[in-house]
Amino acid sequence: MDYRLSTMDYKHYLCRMERVVSGVRPTGQIHLGNYFGAIRNYVRLQEQADCFYFIADYHSLTTHPNPADLHANVREVLVTFLACGLDPEKATLYVQSDQPEIPELYLILNMLAGIGELERTVTYKEKASKQQDNLNAGLLTYPVLMTADIILHKATKVPVGKDQEQHLEMSRNFANRFNFQYNCEIFPEPQGFNFGEDLVKIPGLDGTGKMGKSEGGKNAIYLGEDPDSIRKKVMRAVTDAGPTGTNQPLTEPVANLIAVMKAVSSPDTVQFFLDQYAGGSIRYGDLKKQLAEDVVAFTAPIRARMLEISKDDALISRTVKLGAEKARASGSQTIKEVREAIGIKRFF
Ligand code: AMP
């Protein structure tokens, strides 16, 4: 298959539809939270919008990953994208560091970002309290880099999980601030997107908080995880001593398991366990067994495709190359407009 597009094709391609941009950091394996918060929507959106999905390797540098791990993780995210059904011919799939226009726009936007507003970002404040030994400027300016990623392609829709809500608000502010400062209308306002529903938060298995890659592996279920490991993790998930009467509100750990169940199980199954809880007769062992089997059934086909695709080096390198070309065609156009707006022009 020839993935190359002519210049005319690009022009047609780039002005066709509404723009969508979103990315995933290559900081570990992709889990159910990444899938239901973001990647599931990526797949649906590629059929109806002009989508740019990237692997955010620059973002992952805030934690100083080992270079060999970083390289392997970028590959793994790409394999997962393809295994989940993303199609390099329908969407632009690229690696963030293949697009030099991103750091350029990031630098320019940094001149418009206030230290105070960056310091007030909730994720930054969390990091500041947890990891004082590595509180680098990259963490502080994370929302600026994220804005550059998004507005470089003039995105209007950003399919992300609920954890990104505040960052997106900042992206809107930075985009508007640029337009105002330079008296132009280069950037539209990017909005979080989940097909009209609220943004999703998939909780972890440890009773509290969201499913995440960095919580030591016990609270997340990975799309490529083997069935036995999934079963063990789910059976060890935190619950409580059980309801002490009828019609009690769900406690946080149980509500979390039900939330994961809502993502992977049928509505009847969810209702069955909710009724049992309301009746005060729920057996958490049964709930977990059912949840484990439903997660295994859900992830098995994705895992099988991941194993297949990870052997296909030609497909992987073709995808990355095509994505870089398409992303650069779009990004270089925006950077040209930005340079003109701010008065940086070529004199030769
Ligand atoms: P990250 O792994 O932080 O790069 O996140 C990639 C995408 O997955 C982002 O759109 C996040 O909002 C989304 N995401 C990460 N964790 C969760 C979660 N537990 N629930 C829902 N969405 C999530």
Side-chain angles (χ1 to χ4, degrees), residues 25 31 33-34 37-38 160-161 163-164 200-202 211 213:
R25 284 174 308 146
H31 53 69
N34 298 131
V160 284
D163 56 328
Q164 296 296 330
V200 170
K201 175 185 149 190
I202 298 290
M211 187 172 285
K213 295 179 199 141

Side-chain angles (χ1 to χ4, degrees), residues 22-39 42 54 56 59 142 146 158-165 199-204 209-213 219:
S22 188
V24 174
R25 284 174 308 146
T27 43
Q29 300 178 61
I30 302 294
H31 53 69
L32 290 178
N34 298 131
Y35 182 82
F36 288 104
I39 299 174
Y42 295 3
F54 65 98
H59 280 285
Y142 186 102
M146 175 168 157
V158 187
V160 284
K162 200 162 178 53
D163 56 328
Q164 296 296 330
E165 229 163 20
L199 298 185
V200 170
K201 175 185 149 190
I202 298 290
K210 69 162 189 165
M211 187 172 285
K213 295 179 199 141
N219 102 342

Side-chain angles (χ1 to χ4, degrees), residues 215-228:
E215 278 80 4
K218 282 196 209 129
N219 102 342
I221 301 171
Y222 304 115
L223 296 181
E225 193 157 349
D226 81 76
D228 281 348

Side-chain angles (χ1 to χ4, degrees), residues 124-171:
Y124 177 75
K125 285 201 287 195
E126 275 170 18
K127 297 257 154 64
S129 67
K130 277 194 210 151
Q131 54 176 74
Q132 278 156 356
D133 51 333
N134 178 24
L135 203 54
N136 56 64
L139 285 170
L140 183 67
T141 56
Y142 186 102
V144 186
L145 182 54
M146 175 168 157
T147 304
D149 297 325
I150 295 169
I151 70 175
L152 181 67
H153 299 296
K154 305 191 179 183
T156 47
K157 289 191 169 121
V158 187
V160 284
K162 200 162 178 53
D163 56 328
Q164 296 296 330
E165 229 163 20
Q166 191 190 19
H167 294 159
L168 265 179
E169 177 74 45
M170 296 175 82
S171 293

